[in-house]
Amino acid sequence: MEHIRIKPLTSETFAPFGDVLQASGAPDRLLNFGTCGRFHDRARLDFGAGGRAGISIFDAEARDLPYRLELVERHPDGSQAFMPMHSHDWLVIVAEAGETPGQIHAFRAGPGRGVNFLRGTWHAVLTPLHNPGLFAVVDRIGDTRNHEEFPLPQPVMIVE
Amino acid sequence: MEHIRIKPLTSETFAPFGDVLQASGAPDRLLNFGTCGRFHDRARLDFGAGGRAGISIFDAEARDLPYRLELVERHPDGSQAFMPMHSHDWLVIVAEAGETPGQIHAFRAGPGRGVNFLRGTWHAVLTPLHNPGLFAVVDRIGDTRNHEEFPLPQPVMIVE
């Protein structure tokens, strides 16, 4: 079985798949008499025709490593952002673009790191490493199904 | 000086000011073969004419209790949601509606609790109780100022 090694999550390596949402570098604005930094408008949000933004909460079961990946999915009609409501590491697993998923990449997101998947990005289901696996999710609210699944012909193992 | 006692945050008591964003009750949908609950579309988002949704990250200094409140603010052109990227308690301070702020209320938000302020709701600046005070913020991106401040004629003390 193919083994995929987990890499650190950085804005540069993740750029083809989406945005890393984090307070890195100098803030774009200082608010509230200097007591709060605003890192402004960091996600390439896209809700498509007939869609609108919504905030949902996901409560996902933590997974153990190594993690056997059997399926990826994508949302053809909109972006999807995940912001952890905790300070634990979590896994971000994506596949390169194509009508079927390309090469798989796994990233470890540390404390204070969210991501926004660009519209149509192949990704694994939400994969926290600790319970409770609570995330705030900003994605498209609309009437379309906006969901495609792709079972991998050969499962892969995500390893440290 | 007037003392305002902190209350627990509940959807019912907070409803006039906005939405509590939390995984409470049964999920609206079960995803990923039952491993993830989706609490769907829980915020009354409103980005007004000419605005769009954006995700920003705020990094705010933690405050101590008792907390001396001297100013509130509001965003006349859109809603503003705060999702903690940590599992610590934080304070949500609002004032009742009016051209000037009405009665002040303070709520303690526990782990896994975010809020969405309805458009125009008077509220205090972001008030974490622990460092780092990281929050994902969903608010209006647009060309208007969308910000009014109101210094309180008499500061109040927020107490446990």
Side-chain angles (χ1 to χ4, degrees), chain A residues 21-23 31-43 45 47 52-61 63 71 73 80-81 83-87 112-114 125-126 134 136 138-139 141 149, chain B residues 21-23 31-43 45 47 52-61 63 71 73 80-81 83-87 112-114 125-126 134 136 138-139 141 149:
Chain A
L21 308 176
Q22 60 184 334
L31 311 177
N32 310 338
F33 311 100
T35 62
C36 182
R38 180 176 176 125
F39 301 80
H40 182 71
D41 195 21
R42 293 297 176 101
L45 299 179
F47 305 111
R52 63 171 174 81
I55 302 177
S56 301
I57 308 296
F58 281 22
D59 185 5
E61 285 177 16
R63 307 310 208 283
L71 176 144
E73 61 182 33
Q80 188 175 47
M83 280 85 69
M85 297 177 78
H86 56 75
S87 308
R113 264 56 172 182
V125 304
L126 185 56
L134 285 178
V138 174
D139 65 1
I141 308 297
E149 292 185 344
Chain B
L21 308 175
Q22 60 182 334
L31 310 177
N32 311 335
F33 310 103
T35 62
C36 183
R38 179 174 177 126
F39 301 79
H40 182 70
D41 194 20
R42 293 297 177 100
L45 299 178
F47 305 112
R52 63 171 175 83
I55 302 177
S56 301
I57 307 296
F58 280 23
D59 184 4
E61 285 177 15
R63 307 310 210 282
L71 176 143
E73 61 182 34
Q80 188 175 46
M83 282 86 68
M85 297 178 79
H86 56 75
S87 308
R113 263 59 171 180
V125 304
L126 185 55
L134 285 177
V138 175
D139 65 1
I141 308 297
E149 293 184 344

Side-chain angles (χ1 to χ4, degrees), chain B residues 2-80:
Chain B
E2 187 184 3
H3 283 47
I4 306 286
R5 196 165 290 276
I6 300 168
K7 298 174 280 195
L9 180 69
T10 71
S11 298
E12 293 69 27
T13 51
F14 193 67
F17 309 106
D19 313 295
V20 178
L21 308 175
Q22 60 182 334
S24 68
D28 299 294
R29 302 175 192 169
L30 275 177
L31 310 177
N32 311 335
F33 310 103
T35 62
C36 183
R38 179 174 177 126
F39 301 79
H40 182 70
D41 194 20
R42 293 297 177 100
R44 290 170 280 175
L45 299 178
D46 171 3
F47 305 112
R52 63 171 175 83
I55 302 177
S56 301
I57 307 296
F58 280 23
D59 184 4
E61 285 177 15
R63 307 310 210 282
D64 293 319
L65 291 174
Y67 174 64
R68 183 185 166 96
L69 179 70
E70 299 183 335
L71 176 143
V72 293
E73 61 182 34
R74 65 176 176 180
H75 309 294
D77 302 330
S79 58
Q80 188 175 46

